[in-house]
Amino acid sequence: MTITLQQLDTPAAVIDTARMERNIARMQQRMNALGVRFRPHVKTAKCIEVARAQLAAGATGITVSTLKEAEQFFQAGIGDILYAVTIDPAKLPRALALIRKGCALTLVVDNPAAATALADFGRAHDCVFAVLIEVDTDGHRSGIGPEEEVLLEVAGILQRGGARVAGVMTHAGSSYELNTQEALAALAEQERAGCVRAAQRIRAAGIACDIVSVGSTPTALAAAALDGVTEVRAGVYVFFDLVMHNVGVCAPEDIALSVLATVIGHQPEKGWAILDAGWMAMSRDRGTAKQSHDFGYGLPCTIDGRPLTGYVLSGANQEHGILSAVHPEAVNQGEHIVTRFPIGARLRILPNHACATGAQYPQYLALSPDGALTRWERFHGW
Amino acid sequence: MTITLQQLDTPAAVIDTARMERNIARMQQRMNALGVRFRPHVKTAKCIEVARAQLAAGATGITVSTLKEAEQFFQAGIGDILYAVTIDPAKLPRALALIRKGCALTLVVDNPAAATALADFGRAHDCVFAVLIEVDTDGHRSGIGPEEEVLLEVAGILQRGGARVAGVMTHAGSSYELNTQEALAALAEQERAGCVRAAQRIRAAGIACDIVSVGSTPTALAAAALDGVTEVRAGVYVFFDLVMHNVGVCAPEDIALSVLATVIGHQPEKGWAILDAGWMAMSRDRGTAKQSHDFGYGLPCTIDGRPLTGYVLSGANQEHGILSAVHPEAVNQGEHIVTRFPIGARLRILPNHACATGAQYPQYLALSPDGALTRWERFHGW
């Protein structure tokens, strides 16, 4: 029996597969044109079917944010995995177990203590870990500055056995705070130049440094050239979201993830329709709050995906969402909201942040252009 | 083999069972003294073991926020369940299936359309649904005002067969915005009086209205008297959190849920230690941002649970948390953060909002006073 969007239990996380495939093709074509490998960050979807679509389009391996993702994707047959968070030395036994099973797992460090623990553990277990040194190119999080002395110290520690410098990686996450093509292109160049410079310094010290890995969705889509870069990583582009729309790299019509919700009540004098999708369904992510357009907890769309730009998910309790007009004075309040959104009406809400919203669900419903729905499982936890 | 907090994979959601039992006893003793039944809202923990501890202390049935919780808790042997969200008519078949299996499931409506659909469905399936009418006593979300005409309209619809008015319920969720005992006690009285008034109006119309159900954690702990109330509901009190601390109903030392995290890096010149607990581990909930004390993404504690009040989880990416000093000028930055929080050091982070943080985990680790850890599963999804 096939079910339809009208029959699904709500709330539900729906993937528009045509939009997803379009987003995947757009990014892969860009990477092909720039002459770099593409290693999608699968932390956004944590879903085998999504990763397979990315690989089928031409991606070379995947990037993960947890060892659980690495274990699950390896079990599903994906063997080339970058774990892109500086490794906690206590997690090395889990990493080693994956490598022993045949996984081509690459690790990341950004400090001498972790590098020493990793190399020591590798030597003690007769393993040579492939390691990227994380480079800080925009000051937003982790990594070693391209000109810092400790960069060569870490490279030297890794080369003493038990590990090897496979390359360098960086993530210009501050790109999420920008919103012009010029600023994004400039940050993409800064990300590229800083990471390439770090690789050059390591090579100049006589240590091989093959991989130069950069990326975030906005910089990947804005980069004019990627000389010296060997691979790019990006995650959220696969679904896009309202934060990315405000950054300027997608239209609402590109957003492939939405939350199907049902109207369960009203407060007519306040102009509210109450939905069965609150923050548990949307996540607590308010990433658009400080951007040019605040979308509250999400942008409502019709059940067939057309944005209702005059409305917003303006509030959220755990299982209640509050839908209201963006400009209440411009629409007839009171009965209007009741007749416009009657009890039982179904909507699809575009999320602020696809990575956070997806994490609220044990599964997605993949919606094909022909209306067919397929359950895709999603990983949860660590 | 017993594992310790030093050996757990991080991040992990740890429940201090002594604190939890103390919180449970405190609330139950209050309810006993006030002469009302207590029906805990299990949406906070979504965990069988936690609900069993609440029932063992004297609770009468449970409150749930989703039908999945109802199904899971009923399967675990808990048969008296209030589903405290206005029912979406499309969910009635799932509710009926539970009742057919023997669950004493009570539903909620707050509008004529849902009441009509519910009564029609009940008659069509030879079932008499027990229903509470939701009353709005503080304007924060759903419900019918105690004096509104539609209250009696809904009661009348329910009494035409297929359903019956079991009572009224309200939730003064705006209590989360208060922070003095006086204001909380006043809101508790407003919540009580409004709900009792609605019951009186229904009874005056010749319709039985046995249950008068009120509650939120802050009002439950602040109410001076509950005349006319038959039961109280509260959820987050079982763990408490930093939002409740700011409201003024618990101390940090009462908070039973924490996230165990490991230091994985530093940015010494910024005064940052990087943890492996980002927003995926803490949730995106920033509930303390608009309160008297902004705890960022959480309050760090030592591994044995002592708050490090000079520090805060000041930022979070998906799998990276940024720990920094509250007053950087007051501590020696630079090397200080590295020696104070070395690579591999373990901390426990108290969350802003226990309901949101818990939802990020498939399981809890229950920590007994003797240091033993037990896995407790948690429900996920709808």
Side-chain angles (χ1 to χ4, degrees):
Chain A
M1 195 184 82
T2 51
I3 51 170
T4 68
L5 287 183
Q6 288 289 358
Q7 297 164 318
L8 274 184
D9 278 340
T10 55
V14 175
I15 297 173
D16 181 319
T17 59
R19 291 183 183 189
M20 181 188 85
E21 292 287 358
R22 200 169 67 207
N23 297 340
I24 290 172
R26 174 185 168 197
M27 182 65 83
Q28 189 64 51
Q29 283 162 14
R30 241 192 98 70
M31 295 302 107
N32 294 347
L34 286 164
V36 293
R37 294 194 298 272
F38 182 58
R39 181 182 292 276
H41 205 318
V42 298
K43 77 185 173 83
T44 299
K46 298 198 184 194
C47 174
I48 301 290
E49 287 83 354
V50 173
R52 285 192 182 132
Q54 291 167 309
L55 291 166
T60 308
I62 59 172
T63 312
V64 300
S65 69
T66 65
L67 284 175
K68 177 160 184 175
E69 291 165 59
E71 290 159 353
Q72 298 279 325
F73 282 105
F74 178 68
Q75 197 172 357
I78 300 175
D80 179 0
I81 301 178
L82 168 63
Y83 170 44
V85 178
T86 290
I87 185 106
D88 161 21
K91 297 187 175 82
L92 286 166
R94 266 175 92 177
L96 180 66
L98 260 177
I99 292 167
R100 292 263 196 260
K101 287 180 187 166
C103 180
L105 180 68
T106 302
L107 302 179
V108 170
V109 295
D110 77 345
N111 63 80
T116 301
L118 190 155
D120 287 351
F121 187 89
R123 279 192 303 273
H125 294 84
D126 204 19
C127 175
V128 179
F129 289 107
V131 182
L132 302 189
I133 301 175
E134 184 169 1
V135 179
D136 179 12
T137 52
D138 69 345
H140 93 289
R141 189 172 74 192
S142 304
I144 301 170
E147 304 295 346
E148 283 190 70
E149 197 45 50
V150 70
L151 178 72
L152 299 183
E153 183 189 346
V154 168
I157 291 167
L158 293 174
Q159 291 301 100
R160 284 181 215 140
R164 65 180 177 85
V165 177
V168 289
M169 63 85 76
T170 193
H171 166 61
S174 61
S175 60
Y176 282 42
E177 297 156 23
L178 307 177
N179 61 7
T180 67
Q181 177 64 27
E182 295 68 32
L184 289 171
L187 183 59
E189 172 55 19
Q190 178 181 322
E191 183 184 43
R192 181 204 72 78
C195 205
V196 168
R197 169 66 182 151
Q200 287 168 338
R201 286 188 64 222
I202 292 167
R203 290 172 192 147
I207 297 170
C209 183
D210 293 339
I211 298 169
V212 179
S213 175
V214 304
S216 73
T217 287
T219 52
L221 291 170
L226 288 172
D227 300 349
V229 168
T230 66
E231 76 173 21
V232 170
R233 309 176 324 280
V236 75
Y237 81 96
V238 72
F239 291 154
F240 283 125
D241 54 29
L242 294 167
V243 165
M244 287 297 110
H245 171 53
N246 274 334
V247 170
V249 296
C250 72
E253 292 73 15
D254 295 323
I255 300 175
L257 180 67
S258 62
V259 171
L260 184 71
T262 304
V263 177
I264 60 170
H266 302 93
Q267 295 290 12
E269 65 294 343
K270 296 196 181 84
W272 291 356
I274 312 279
L275 308 183
D276 66 351
W279 61 253
M280 189 65 85
M282 299 306 304
S283 91
R284 271 295 197 194
D285 199 296
R286 289 282 290 104
T288 59
K290 291 182 179 172
Q291 292 186 305
S292 55
H293 189 125
D294 184 351
F295 285 99
Y297 281 91
L299 173 60
C301 300
T302 61
I303 194 167
D304 52 341
R306 283 178 296 108
L308 297 163
T309 49
Y311 294 88
V312 66
L313 203 62
S314 55
N317 288 178
Q318 186 159 337
E319 296 292 344
H320 298 76
I322 296 174
L323 182 150
S324 58
V326 176
H327 300 291
E329 67 287 359
V331 299
N332 176 13
Q333 289 298 299
E335 284 310 295
H336 175 273
I337 199 86
V338 179
T339 50
R340 178 70 187 78
F341 300 105
I343 299 290
R346 295 198 156 201
L347 299 165
R348 281 162 68 190
I349 319 293
L350 301 180
N352 284 320
H353 188 174
C355 309
T357 301
Q360 304 298 104
Y361 294 84
Q363 64 201 357
Y364 303 101
L365 278 299
L367 175 67
S368 304
D370 64 2
L373 287 164
T374 311
R375 283 181 205 278
W376 288 356
E377 297 302 314
R378 190 188 191 288
F379 312 143
H380 186 218
W382 286 265
Chain B
M1 195 185 83
T2 50
I3 51 169
T4 68
L5 288 181
Q6 288 289 0
Q7 295 163 318
L8 273 183
D9 278 341
T10 56
V14 175
I15 296 174
D16 182 318
T17 60
R19 292 183 182 189
M20 181 189 85
E21 292 287 357
R22 199 169 69 206
N23 297 340
I24 290 171
R26 174 185 169 199
M27 180 65 83
Q28 188 65 50
Q29 284 162 13
R30 243 192 95 73
M31 296 301 108
N32 294 347
L34 287 164
V36 293
R37 295 193 297 272
F38 182 58
R39 182 182 290 278
H41 205 318
V42 297
K43 76 184 174 83
T44 299
K46 300 200 184 193
C47 172
I48 301 289
E49 287 83 355
V50 174
R52 285 191 182 133
Q54 292 168 308
L55 292 166
T60 309
I62 60 171
T63 312
V64 300
S65 69
T66 65
L67 285 176
K68 177 159 186 177
E69 289 165 60
E71 290 159 353
Q72 298 278 326
F73 282 106
F74 178 69
Q75 197 173 357
I78 300 176
D80 179 0
I81 301 178
L82 168 63
Y83 170 46
V85 178
T86 291
I87 185 110
D88 161 20
K91 297 187 176 84
L92 286 166
R94 267 177 91 176
L96 180 65
L98 261 178
I99 292 168
R100 293 264 196 258
K101 287 180 187 167
C103 181
L105 180 69
T106 302
L107 301 178
V108 170
V109 297
D110 77 343
N111 64 80
T116 301
L118 190 156
D120 288 351
F121 187 88
R123 280 192 302 275
H125 294 86
D126 204 21
C127 174
V128 179
F129 289 106
V131 181
L132 302 188
I133 301 175
E134 184 170 1
V135 179
D136 179 12
T137 53
D138 69 344
H140 93 286
R141 189 171 75 192
S142 304
I144 301 170
E147 305 295 347
E148 283 191 69
E149 197 46 51
V150 70
L151 178 73
L152 300 183
E153 183 189 345
V154 167
I157 291 167
L158 293 174
Q159 292 301 99
R160 284 180 214 143
R164 65 181 177 85
V165 177
V168 288
M169 63 84 76
T170 192
H171 167 60
S174 61
S175 61
Y176 282 43
E177 296 156 24
L178 307 177
N179 61 6
T180 69
Q181 177 63 26
E182 296 68 32
L184 289 171
L187 183 60
E189 172 54 20
Q190 177 181 323
E191 183 183 44
R192 181 204 71 80
C195 204
V196 168
R197 169 65 183 152
Q200 286 167 339
R201 287 188 63 222
I202 292 167
R203 290 170 192 148
I207 297 171
C209 183
D210 294 338
I211 297 168
V212 179
S213 176
V214 306
S216 72
T217 286
T219 53
L221 291 171
L226 288 172
D227 300 348
V229 167
T230 67
E231 76 172 24
V232 170
R233 310 177 322 281
V236 76
Y237 81 97
V238 72
F239 292 154
F240 284 126
D241 54 28
L242 295 168
V243 166
M244 287 296 110
H245 171 55
N246 274 334
V247 170
V249 296
C250 72
E253 291 73 16
D254 296 322
I255 300 175
L257 180 67
S258 63
V259 171
L260 183 71
T262 303
V263 177
I264 60 169
H266 302 92
Q267 295 289 12
E269 66 294 344
K270 296 195 181 86
W272 292 355
I274 311 281
L275 307 184
D276 66 351
W279 61 253
M280 188 66 84
M282 299 306 304
S283 92
R284 271 294 199 194
D285 199 297
R286 288 282 290 105
T288 59
K290 292 181 181 173
Q291 292 186 305
S292 56
H293 189 126
D294 184 351
F295 285 99
Y297 281 91
L299 172 60
C301 300
T302 61
I303 194 167
D304 51 341
R306 283 179 296 109
L308 297 163
T309 49
Y311 294 88
V312 66
L313 203 61
S314 55
N317 289 176
Q318 185 157 338
E319 297 292 345
H320 298 76
I322 296 173
L323 181 150
S324 59
V326 176
H327 301 290
E329 67 286 359
V331 299
N332 177 12
Q333 291 298 299
E335 283 311 295
H336 176 274
I337 199 86
V338 178
T339 50
R340 177 70 187 80
F341 302 105
I343 298 291
R346 294 197 157 201
L347 299 165
R348 281 162 68 189
I349 318 293
L350 301 180
N352 284 320
H353 188 175
C355 308
T357 301
Q360 304 298 104
Y361 294 84
Q363 63 201 359
Y364 303 102
L365 278 298
L367 174 67
S368 305
D370 65 1
L373 287 164
T374 312
R375 282 180 204 279
W376 289 356
E377 297 301 314
R378 190 188 192 287
F379 311 143
H380 187 219
W382 287 264

